[in-house]
Amino acid sequence: MKILHATDLHYNAVWFEYLKSVEACFEAICISGDLLDECSDVSLYDQILDIKAWLGKFSKPVFVCSGNHDISLLYEEGWINEMANVYGDDSIITLNGVCFGCVPYVGASLDKFSECDVLLAHVPPYKTPVSRDIKSGRDYGDKSLFSAVDEGAINPKVLLCGHIHEPKANVCKLKNTTIYNPGCEFGKSTPKICEVVV
């Protein structure tokens, strides 16, 4: 199965349009959080309406998990699960024999995702090159996610992440799990993506 992975789209209409334009080359589209942009002049409510409309145009299955921009200013965090034809937070869906899971940014219970082959989580595991910022060297990773993978509580083949816009690496391994973080580069006409084969 060929998967398109993008992250941290931050309400960039051109980037959403690009993903739609290439979706025919993939069997699934995965976006690992930060669909919204807290810094935009457009209200979060209007951003949500636009993103629902943009993702509603996709014909291939779309998997998304929430990121820090998607929930931090909203009293209603469940908007990400209100999109037709989109699998959001806490979803566990098998597609063509591949089990996908979408970890919410807040209140994640990782053990429920123990059978997933492909897992979306906005923040990558701690102590990995995809969780370290290339400029500062600081590690912004999730310690509980690191422990869950390192100790075998979850064992996905693929972990799709984001959050760190300029990671030290875009791909790495932790135990038997390959972790992807395509990063994010504002000002570009296309989003950074990873093509993942499972």
Side-chain angles (χ1 to χ4, degrees):
M1 172 179 289
K2 191 174 179 186
I3 300 166
L4 183 153
H5 173 217
T7 190
D8 295 87
L9 299 178
H10 291 290
Y11 189 64
N12 186 321
V14 173
W15 288 357
F16 279 94
E17 289 168 11
Y18 173 78
L19 297 182
K20 172 61 181 156
S21 75
V22 298
E23 80 166 320
C25 302
F26 300 91
E27 293 172 74
I29 310 300
C30 293
I31 305 171
S32 54
D34 280 0
L35 288 78
L36 301 178
D37 186 357
E38 294 174 337
C39 300
S40 172
D41 292 335
V42 179
S43 74
L44 291 175
Y45 178 80
D46 287 335
Q47 288 184 49
I48 288 170
L49 293 178
D50 288 339
I51 287 169
K52 285 180 176 181
W54 298 337
L55 292 180
K57 295 177 183 177
F58 283 76
S59 57
K60 298 292 176 82
V62 178
F63 296 88
V64 299
C65 66
S66 55
N68 51 299
H69 279 254
D70 301 321
I71 56 96
S72 59
L73 294 180
L74 297 175
Y75 65 91
E76 174 56 66
E77 298 171 359
W79 73 270
I80 210 155
N81 289 329
E82 297 171 353
M83 294 181 275
N85 305 317
V86 174
Y87 303 103
D89 284 348
D90 278 321
S91 293
I92 299 175
I93 303 293
T94 299
L95 177 67
N96 299 332
V98 177
C99 184
F100 288 79
C102 303
V103 178
Y105 184 74
V106 173
S109 177
L110 293 174
D111 57 331
K112 77 180 282 181
F113 299 102
S114 62
E115 301 299 318
C116 293
D117 301 303
V118 177
L119 195 60
L120 284 74
H122 182 57
V123 180
Y126 183 65
K127 292 186 181 178
T128 60
V130 297
S131 67
R132 288 191 184 95
D133 180 79
I134 196 166
K135 291 180 182 173
S136 70
R138 185 171 172 196
D139 193 328
Y140 292 94
D142 183 320
K143 292 180 181 179
S144 62
L145 185 57
F146 172 81
S147 296
V149 175
D150 189 53
E151 296 168 8
I154 61 173
N155 189 28
K157 294 175 185 167
V158 171
L159 181 53
L160 305 176
C161 302
H163 192 54
I164 293 79
H165 292 185
E166 296 182 67
K168 185 176 179 182
N170 297 111
V171 183
C172 70
K173 291 278 279 189
L174 176 58
K175 299 291 184 171
N176 297 318
T177 300
T178 304
I179 308 167
Y180 295 86
N181 178 359
C184 170
E185 191 170 355
F186 296 114
K188 297 291 184 182
S189 60
T190 59
K192 296 179 92 175
I193 64 168
C194 290
E195 296 183 11
V196 179
V197 178
V198 180

